[in-house]
Amino acid sequence: MNGPTYQVLVTGANRGLGLEFVSQYASAGCQVIACCRDPLKATKLSALVASSAGKISMHALDVSDFSQIERLASELQGQAIDVLINNAGIYPRGSFGSIDYAEWHKAFLINSMAPMKIVECFVDHVAASRLRK
């Protein structure tokens, strides 16, 4: 992304696709707000933050805890977010005949309800940005 510096927020940023989004956007010159459940255990993300020359900031965010989502949105109040990536997710274990319904409930919360809560809480941040994605 050449030109102006964009602000990107990524949930589930500590591994997999989330970590790659953080890496790619920071490499492209964007400011990245990297969110993960437990920053103390996010060793690869911590290494990226340390080598990013201030382009990446890490924030604790368990998306299943809606009060944490609200708190982060409040902490970032007035800060435009050009790209919001709802990447956090889980896949429940179990198969037909042995489904763990508590795990499926948690998956529905994290994979469906939490992204909606994040969008609700960060809509003004995205609306205030240039890209609005």
Side-chain angles (χ1 to χ4, degrees):
M1 300 183 107
N2 294 330
T5 300
Y6 294 110
Q7 185 90 276
V8 180
L9 186 145
V10 181
T11 66
N14 61 308
R15 62 186 178 91
L17 288 174
L19 186 65
E20 188 62 24
F21 279 127
V22 171
S23 176
Q24 293 291 321
Y25 275 107
S27 293
C30 297
Q31 290 295 130
V32 181
I33 302 164
C35 303
C36 64
R37 264 190 319 249
D38 188 351
L40 295 176
K41 292 181 180 175
T43 55
K44 290 181 182 177
L45 179 57
S46 293
L48 268 181
V49 171
S51 67
S52 75
K55 289 195 180 303
I56 304 169
S57 62
M58 185 172 13
H59 300 266
L61 179 65
D62 180 343
V63 298
S64 70
D65 183 342
F66 287 8
S67 66
Q68 286 187 28
I69 296 170
E70 293 166 353
R71 192 171 329 134
L72 182 61
S74 179
E75 288 173 16
L76 299 175
Q77 186 175 0
Q79 192 170 340
I81 296 174
D82 293 287
V83 180
L84 173 63
I85 301 176
N86 265 315
N87 174 70
I90 62 169
Y91 188 79
R93 302 199 192 291
S95 58
F96 187 78
S98 64
I99 293 174
D100 182 339
Y101 286 96
E103 278 293 308
W104 278 89
H105 182 267
K106 184 177 178 183
F108 184 74
L109 172 66
I110 292 170
N111 299 346
S112 299
M113 294 171 65
M116 181 61 74
K117 181 65 174 176
I118 289 168
V119 170
E120 286 179 337
C121 288
F122 286 94
V123 67
D124 291 336
H125 299 80
V126 175
S129 75
R130 293 180 298 259
L131 292 180
R132 297 184 194 102
K133 295 183 181 207

